[in-house]
Structure formats: structure tokens, C-alpha cells
Amino acid sequence: MPTIRSVSAADSLATRLREARRARREHGGRPERGARELILIAFGVPLITVSVAVLIILAVQLMAGGALSAVPSAVAACWLAVHQVPITFGGVTIGVLPILPTLLVAAGTALIAGSASRTRHGTERLTVIVAAVAGPLLTTAICLAVVMDGSSVMPIQSPNALGAFGQTLLVHVVAAPIGVLLANRDLVDARLTDGDRRGIRYGVVAALALFAAGGILVLLRLLLAWTSVGEMIGDGYDFDGYLGLTVLSILYLPNLMIGAAAVLVGSEAHLGAVSVDLFAARGGAVPPLPALAILPADVVAWAPIGLAVPAVIAVGVAWRCRSTDLAVYARSLAVTAAVAATIIVVLGQLSGGRLGEVGGVGITIATAGVFTIGWIVVAGVIVALVHNVLPWLRSGRTGAGRPGRGRSGAVATSTETDAGFDEILDDDDTESTDYDDTDHDSTDTDYDDDQLDVDGFGDHEYEDHEYGDAESGDGYDTRGDYATSAADDAGGLAGDAEAGSADRIDGHHDPAGRGAGPDASRDTAAH
């Protein structure tokens, strides 16, 4: 026995030591693994962006035969330009920058933050968001220092540091939470009503539909002005110039789509002295960018027909938000209008700016937001009138609940049948009394019509005989069957209720077996 105890104690001690070492390894490995993941979250997007910028700048410098010493400053300027930080080059400030790289960087941040947050909970998700924002801010600080240090090699002036940090923060502090929420929808689903979720969904749909319509308009204008586009590309003189102008035009296409969407809702797009809307156009000098050939010199008479595009989109999203509850519908419509207008305003602000001596470029932000809200609200009022006020639609919605139509009608018919059947029984003066089922010692009991429990002619209980022992569960309980099968012969049964009940009871307890023959059994089973 002592030997067995010693061996058991040794095994138990070894097991505890192994568990302690395993727990210590796990505890010691988690912080390290968490730190590595946070570093990847923080610097994944900056690393990819800077790498792409290095490749592009190297290719341009090698094709142009420029010095490689300017590559670090050019790469740093690209990072700032991606975040819509105005760049001053040779005394000319370029504040209108392509929004396509900005959208790609924001999408990358949202994707990385959302992917990393799926396996985390609570404050760990907040840590992911902080890391996804802190990494780009640190990269912006490094790029500002590189641009400032390389101003002697490349004629780039250092931008406003506060504005650079603000633009970087705006891009990533919006993208990271959106990515986390999209990857963990349970965080918001429990806090939002169905109307709110519907409003957010169709607000995004409305904004995307407007941008798509703007893209179609830009494409049509490019096709109509293809000769002017070719002439502007030809001004590049050589392959490098052709390639540069083409790539630059492609990068600015999303900016033009946002401007076209603003014009479709009734706002105005302007490029210095040039302005365009659906009712008038004012021409002027524009930079030699091929994509700007879409700007019209004048407006055709049928241009206001373009207002039908936002009208159709607004009616579509308002119809998808419809509800018979006007309060829920109004809330969904308000959320839809607010989300769509916010997207238009934010992207319109990012896509515009100041372009050197040309002046301000962009859309009229206030009118774009107000008109977007107005289209959706007006369409929502029309849809509400059509869906909730017009008599023929209201009758069409309520027709399904009438008797004889669908499931609702079947329920109503069954209810009316039960009510009529009870009235027949009441007319027959059959008294409904609770039957006493506590005396099981009596083998022969005299039954009375007053002691028969008839509840809507659907519940019969007999006691201490072969037909209905309440304890055996085989009693004459046909509540549901009588309610459905006795509708056709209710008159005949009601006429003979008193006599028939007495005969069946007396016949069942007759010692000679009179009245309890096979016919009675078959009748009972049938019912």
C-alpha cells in the first residue's frame, strides 16, 4: 500500500507540473501572438500601399530617366495624396486628387479590421480599431518627415501637418469601424429595429444607384466626345505621355461619377469658372486632362429629363421600405434619406478641392445633400399615399382575411360553425354540468340527462364501464371530431339529443345488453 500511494502521488505531481507548464506556455504565447497580429493590423495597409507606390514611382523614374534619389520623397507624397492631403508641387497646390486610391485604401482597412475582429470579443475589437487607425497615423508622420527632408531633392513643399493627420484619421476611423460592424453584424442587429436596418440598407442602395447612373452618364459623354479625348491624349507626344494621361484619366473617373450623380439630383458641378447642371452650362478653360472632355459647352433642351433618374431611384427605395405601420415607414424613410445624403456629401467633399490657379473643383455640397433627401422624402410620401390611402389597394390587402379566402377564411368559418352549434344545443335545453368523476366504487350508476356533460356537443365522459374509463385514457372524448363532422347533421342530432342520450346510457348499463349492441359501438366509433 505505501508503494501504491507513492506512485500515485508521483503521477499526480507529474500531471500537475505538465499542466502548469502547458498553461504557462499558453499564457506566455498569447501576448506575443496578439502583438504580432496587432502589428499586422496596424501596418498591413500602409505596407501594401507604400510598396505599390514604390513600384509605380520606380517605373516612372526609370522610363523618364530621372534620378532615383527623389524616390523616397515621391513615395511619401503618394501616401499623403492617397489620403486626400493637398500637395504643393513647384508652387502649384493640387487639392483635387483621385478618390479611387482612397477608396481602395479604406476598403483594405475595413477588410483587415473586420477579419481580425471575428475571433475577438468586447474590448479586443476596440483594440483592433485602434491599431487599424494608429498604424496609418504613424505612417503619415514618417511621410511628413521624409517630404520635409527631401524638399531639397524634389520641389515638394511640406503640407500642413494638422490637415494631413486629420485626413488620415478621417479615412481610417470611418473604414475600420465599418469593417468591424460588417464582420460582426450581431453587434448592431440586436440594437436596431427592422425599420432601421431596412433604412440603412436602402440608403446605401440609393447612393450606389446614383453613382451607377452617374457612371453611365460619364460613359455616354466620353463616347460622344471621343474625338476630343483622342486629341488630348495625342498631346502627350510619346508613349510615356500617352500612358500617363490615360492612367490619370482612369484614376479621376470616380470623381467625375460623383459629380455626375450630383448633377442628376439637381445640384451643380464646377471646375473653376466652368459649371454644369441639368438646366445650364457655362464654359471656360479646363486643364488638358482627357477625361475632362466630357464637360459640355451647352445643355440640350431635353437634359432636364435626367431628373427622372433620381425620381425612379427614390420611388424604388421608398417602395422597398413600405409598411402598413406609418410610424415604422416614416422611420425607415428618414434613415434611408439620411444615409444616402451622408454618403453623397462625404464623397463629394473628398472628391473636390482647389486646383492651383484654376480654382475650386467639386460639387455644391449643400444642394446635393438637400436634394437627395428631398427626392427620397417626396417619393416616400407618394408611396405612402398609394399604399395606405387608396381604397382599392387597402381592400386588396384586407381581402385575404375574409371568410372563405385562404387560411384566415377557414378559421372564421370554423368559429361561426361552433357558435351556431352551441346555439342549437342551447335551444334543446340540454344543461351543461360538470360530471363528478371521483366515486370509483360504484359499479352501476343511474345516469340522468342533467348529469351528462355536453360542451358544445363535443365532450362526453363516461365512468366505470367499457366505453369510458377516465383513468385509462380511452374515454369518449371527441371534442375536435364533433366540431368538424357534426356541422352537416346538426339539426338531426339537436332534435334527438335528450332521447338519444338517455337511450345510449340506459342501454349501456342494461344487464341484458339491450341498447349496447354493435350498432351503438359503430356509431360511437364513427363519431
Side-chain angles (χ1 to χ4, degrees):
M1 292 298 293
T3 303
I4 294 176
R5 287 179 181 172
S6 300
V7 172
S8 301
D11 291 343
S12 178
L13 179 61
T15 301
R16 288 198 298 269
L17 289 175
R18 284 195 300 271
E19 293 176 353
R21 284 195 299 269
R22 186 182 301 110
R24 187 165 56 251
R25 284 196 302 269
E26 293 178 355
H27 181 73
R30 284 176 183 172
E32 183 181 357
R33 185 170 62 252
R36 287 198 303 268
E37 290 179 356
L38 290 179
I39 291 173
L40 291 176
I41 294 169
F43 296 102
V45 170
L47 183 60
I48 295 173
T49 306
V50 170
S51 301
V52 173
V54 167
L55 293 176
I56 294 175
I57 297 299
L58 282 176
V60 172
Q61 289 293 97
L62 291 175
M63 286 189 298
L68 297 181
S69 59
V71 171
S73 298
V75 171
C78 285
W79 170 263
L80 297 176
V82 164
H83 292 84
Q84 301 296 313
V85 178
I87 302 296
T88 303
F89 187 85
V92 178
T93 301
I94 303 176
V96 185
L97 298 164
I99 199 173
L100 180 59
T102 306
L103 297 177
L104 293 177
V105 168
T109 298
L111 183 62
I112 290 179
S115 177
S117 65
R118 287 192 179 95
T119 58
R120 288 174 167 81
H121 304 279
T123 57
E124 293 181 349
R125 290 171 176 163
L126 182 60
T127 305
V128 169
I129 295 176
V130 171
V133 174
L137 288 176
L138 182 58
T139 306
T140 298
I142 296 172
C143 290
L144 287 172
V146 171
V147 169
M148 186 182 298
D149 184 64
S151 58
S152 59
V153 180
M154 194 172 184
I156 298 180
Q157 297 180 10
S158 180
N160 186 350
L162 185 60
F165 284 117
Q167 290 290 108
T168 306
L169 184 65
L170 175 64
V171 172
H172 295 277
V173 84
V174 172
I178 289 177
V180 172
L181 292 177
L182 290 178
N184 305 273
R185 296 186 180 180
D186 56 314
L187 295 176
V188 293
D189 285 347
R191 295 173 176 83
L192 295 177
T193 62
D194 292 338
D196 294 337
R197 287 193 293 270
R198 193 182 304 117
I200 294 173
R201 183 187 308 115
Y202 290 109
V204 175
V205 169
L208 293 179
L210 286 173
F211 293 146
I216 294 174
L217 179 59
V218 169
L219 179 61
L220 292 177
R221 287 296 306 167
L222 282 174
L223 294 177
L224 293 175
W226 187 250
T227 302
S228 300
V229 172
E231 292 175 354
M232 289 185 178
I233 293 177
D235 293 338
Y237 301 110
D238 54 9
F239 176 76
D240 298 343
Y242 304 151
L243 181 62
L245 289 173
T246 303
V247 171
L248 199 59
S249 297
I250 293 174
L251 291 176
Y252 273 106
L253 282 180
N255 299 58
L256 298 175
M257 291 170 57
I258 294 172
V263 170
L264 286 175
V265 299
S267 184
E268 180 189 75
H270 55 270
L271 176 61
V274 179
S275 63
V276 179
D277 58 39
L278 289 177
F279 301 95
R282 186 174 59 182
V286 296
L289 183 67
L292 296 180
I294 68 171
L295 296 175
D298 53 7
V299 175
V300 296
W302 49 267
I305 298 178
L307 293 175
V309 174
V312 171
I313 294 173
V315 169
V317 297
W319 183 260
R320 297 297 297 177
C321 292
R322 71 189 186 279
S323 174
T324 54
D325 189 341
L326 290 179
V328 174
Y329 176 66
R331 185 183 180 94
S332 299
L333 202 66
V335 174
T336 301
V339 170
T342 301
I343 295 174
I344 295 290
V345 168
V346 170
L347 293 183
Q349 182 66 35
L350 289 176
S351 64
R354 187 166 186 84
L355 183 60
E357 299 298 330
V358 174
V361 179
I363 64 175
T364 306
I365 300 295
T367 55
V370 171
F371 288 165
T372 302
I373 294 176
W375 280 113
I376 296 177
V377 170
V378 171
V381 172
I382 295 174
V383 169
L385 292 175
V386 171
H387 188 254
N388 295 287
V389 176
L390 291 184
W392 62 277
L393 279 178
R394 186 170 62 249
S395 62
R397 288 195 307 273
T398 59
R402 295 175 181 175
R405 294 186 180 181
R407 186 176 299 177
S408 302
V411 173
T413 304
S414 176
T415 305
E416 294 173 358
T417 301
D418 292 342
F421 198 42
D422 289 338
E423 292 176 2
I424 294 173
L425 292 179
D426 290 339
D427 293 340
D428 200 33
D429 295 333
T430 303
E431 183 177 348
S432 178
T433 310
D434 291 337
Y435 181 71
D436 185 11
D437 194 19
T438 57
D439 188 5
H440 296 283
D441 294 335
S442 175
T443 58
D444 190 10
T445 306
D446 292 335
Y447 287 86
D448 234 317
D449 287 343
D450 293 336
Q451 290 176 324
L452 179 64
D453 185 5
V454 180
D455 185 6
F457 220 121
D459 189 13
H460 301 260
E461 292 181 5
Y462 298 98
E463 186 177 305
D464 291 340
H465 52 75
E466 60 184 4
Y467 260 30
D469 189 356
E471 295 179 356
S472 65
D474 297 330
Y476 194 160
D477 186 3
T478 57
R479 183 184 302 270
D481 293 335
Y482 265 118
T484 57
S485 64
D488 296 333
D489 55 351
L493 291 176
D496 297 333
E498 181 177 359
S501 298
D503 291 342
R504 285 195 299 271
I505 295 171
D506 294 337
H508 175 71
H509 291 283
D510 187 9
R514 295 186 302 271
D519 293 338
S521 299
R522 283 195 297 271
D523 292 340
T524 303
H527 287 294

